């Protein structure tokens, strides 16, 4: 009997079935697409964060930089004595290299690593030291030649009468030339590649840092920076006046992503050259499981009250660019639009089911007169409604999957920048040499500026089984809700009403 009535309803009331199915299909398709795109955006954000903080990093521990006092703050001064530099052919060349903590960061005692390792459910932890190497080079004329006609130093004595203008310099006519170059340096434990920045890279050439590299002057370069600087594996690079052998180059695991630093060197060497023995700037932590992250974060905050403890969710807020805009759009507009369309689909299903029950007053009254129970009538109406919603759900799943396919074929490219502490701008106009685009350049670089590791991410919307399950569940819930309300109304009809309608 149930199948007979069901088939008659679906065939005889096609308009109602089509309208309910279309409304449910649109709602379910939108839910599938929004959830899939949201998952793709989340994966893209994780990819950006992994290129900076490393694969498997659940928590990062750092310490907020202290605000400079009035009139304080580090100055970008390079002091040279009268005897510094070398003179040749009337030109004096000066050069000075400085390695210091990245501006905008603060260092803390390396013993914090042991404290973190002792926290329950910490699977792995690694400490790093973020530094910036800044090199000042200049060429200027030999001012010792600028003497008076009587052989006295006219300029030094204050009387320039008869003084000979300085000669030489880079232009040969007494001119000067100055340049400042900077690149980021990351000191890390060569044996701790299970977690941290190097866990997110792929070896491009040569080799990576090994445990026996501790205490040696070897370096691994970011492949993009190496290409820009014209340095290859086997060459050397000068860091703080020390010559390092380049043993390899690395690229980020994510497509078109830059790595966390331009140069990687052993942690103990970095501490010594920067004069920061026993100091680190960041600790990367991997929890035993995802369910332990909150507990590990809380315990670290208790053990290190002055530290800033951030999870991946906290770090996601540092991702900017069109990827962040897409995340906001999906989270806000997409979610609310899905809810509104879903509510409208449910309302349409309910209204059409009630309208159908009203038109079938004679039918339901007669069925009650011949002995149908209220429960059987409610079940009949609910069953019809669920089948109509499932038809819409099936169509919605197909449309949703088609929409996901279109998104993946279009493959929109989103730009993203994860803000990281880095040396602020002493490079030329347009950014410090070797620094990511967008970093402040020139002598006007603000202290405490942060570098943005910029990358382009191709958005891919994944299809997961749970999205399909949710879509089917929504269709069933919508059908049950509409059927329950319509069936309740049908069960309240009395046989007498049907008999009056027949008469």
């Amino acid at each position: 009997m149930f199948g007979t009535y069901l088939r008659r309803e679906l065939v005889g009331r096609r308009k109602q079935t089509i309208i309910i199915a279309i409304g449910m299909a649109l709602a379910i398709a939108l839910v599938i697409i929004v959830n899939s795109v949201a998952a793709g955006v989340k994966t893209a954000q994780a990819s950006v964060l992994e290129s900076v903080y490393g694969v498997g990093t659940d928590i990062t521990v750092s310490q907020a930089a202290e605000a400079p006092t009035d009139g304080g703050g580090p100055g970008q001064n390079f002091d040279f004595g009268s005897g510094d530099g070398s003179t040749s052919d009337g030109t004096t060349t000066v050069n000075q290299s400085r390695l210091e903590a990245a501006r905008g960061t603060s260092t803390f005692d390396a013993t914090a690593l042991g404290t973190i390792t002792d926290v329950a459910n910490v699977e792995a932890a690694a400490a790093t030291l973020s530094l910036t190497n800044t090199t000042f080079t200049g060429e200027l004329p030999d001012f010792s030649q600028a003497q008076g006609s009587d052989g006295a130093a006219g300029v030094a004595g204050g009387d320039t009468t008869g003084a000979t203008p300085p000669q030489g310099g880079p232009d040969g006519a007494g001119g000067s030339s100055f340049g400042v170059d900077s690149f980021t340096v990351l000191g890390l434990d060569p044996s701790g590649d299970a977690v941290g920045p190097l866990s997110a890279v792929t070896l491009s050439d040569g080799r990576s840092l090994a445990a026996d590299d501790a205490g040696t002057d070897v370096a691994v370069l970011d492949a993009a920076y190496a290409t820009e600087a014209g340095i290859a594996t086997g060459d050397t690079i000068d860091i703080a006046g020390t010559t390092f052998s380049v043993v390899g180059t690395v690229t980020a695991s994510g497509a078109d992503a830059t790595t966390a630093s331009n140069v990687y060197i052993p942690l103990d060497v970095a501490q010594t050259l920067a004069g920061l023995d026993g100091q680190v700037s960041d600790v990367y932590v991997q929890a035993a499981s995802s369910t332990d992250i909150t507990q590990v974060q809380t315990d670290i905050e208790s053990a290190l009250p002055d530290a800033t403890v951030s999870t991946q969710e906290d770090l996601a807020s540092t991702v900017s660019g069109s990827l962040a805009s897409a995340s906001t759009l999906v989270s806000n507009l997409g979610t609310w639009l899905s809810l509104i369309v879903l509510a409208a689909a449910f309302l349409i299903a309910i209204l059409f089911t009630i309208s159908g029950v009203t038109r079938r007053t004679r039918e339901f009254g007669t069925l009650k007169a011949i002995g149908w129970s209220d429960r059987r009538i409610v079940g009949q109406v609910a069953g019809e409604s669920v089948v109509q919603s499932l038809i819409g759900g099936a169509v919605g799943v197909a449309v949703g999957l088609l929409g996901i396919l279109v998104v993946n074929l279009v493959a929109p490219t989103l730009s993203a920048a994860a803000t990281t502490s880095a040396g602020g701008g002493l490079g030329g106009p347009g950014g410090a040499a070797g620094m990511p685009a967008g970093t402040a350049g020139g002598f006007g670089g603000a202290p405490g500026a942060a570098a943005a590791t910029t990358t382009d991410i191709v958005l891919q919307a994944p299809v997961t089984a749970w999205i399909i399950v949710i879509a089917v569940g929504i269709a069933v819930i919508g059908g049950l809700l509409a059927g329950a309300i319509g069936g309740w109304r049908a069960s309240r009809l009395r046989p007498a009403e049907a008999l009056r309608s027949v008469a």
Side-chain angles (χ1 to χ4, degrees), residues 164-355:
T164 302
Q167 300 297 314
D171 61 353
S176 301
S177 175
F178 304 97
V180 180
D181 174 62
S182 66
F183 54 85
T184 56
V185 178
L186 191 67
L188 44 78
D189 182 359
S191 62
D193 59 354
V195 63
L198 277 187
S199 65
V201 300
T202 301
L203 188 63
S204 201
D205 187 35
R207 66 174 179 86
S208 186
L209 295 179
D212 56 2
D213 287 327
T216 62
D217 298 333
V218 295
V220 171
L221 272 58
D222 173 76
Y225 173 71
T227 301
E228 178 184 345
I231 302 173
T233 300
D235 293 344
T236 60
I237 184 172
D238 184 87
I239 303 175
T242 301
T243 301
F244 281 72
S245 299
V246 178
V247 298
T249 59
V250 293
T251 56
S253 299
D256 301 322
T258 55
T259 65
S261 182
N262 299 140
V263 181
Y264 302 87
I265 63 176
L267 177 60
D268 55 347
V269 177
Q271 292 170 329
T272 301
L273 289 180
L276 295 171
D277 291 329
Q279 296 288 302
V280 296
S281 58
D282 299 278
V283 177
Y284 299 87
V285 183
Q286 183 180 38
S289 69
S290 59
T291 58
D292 297 324
I293 294 177
T294 301
Q295 169 259 311
V296 171
Q297 180 185 22
T298 302
D299 289 352
I300 293 176
E301 289 173 340
S302 299
L304 302 172
D306 295 331
T308 300
V309 185
S310 304
T311 63
Q312 284 281 8
E313 291 184 359
D314 300 327
L315 297 174
S317 63
T318 67
V319 177
S320 57
S322 60
L323 178 59
S325 300
S327 178
T328 301
L329 183 65
V330 171
S331 299
N332 297 332
L333 179 61
T335 301
W336 281 109
L337 184 60
S338 297
L339 291 175
I340 291 173
V341 174
L342 194 60
F346 281 12
L347 183 61
I348 290 173
I350 292 171
L351 291 177
F352 271 88
T353 301
I354 293 175
S355 175

Side-chain angles (χ1 to χ4, degrees), residues 68-79 96-104 132 134 136 180 424-426 442-448:
T69 57
D70 293 340
Q76 294 296 331
N77 298 321
F78 292 86
D79 300 320
Q96 189 176 116
S97 186
R98 173 190 300 159
L99 185 65
E100 57 189 359
R103 302 177 72 189
T132 299
T134 307
F136 177 92
V180 180
L426 281 181
F443 285 93

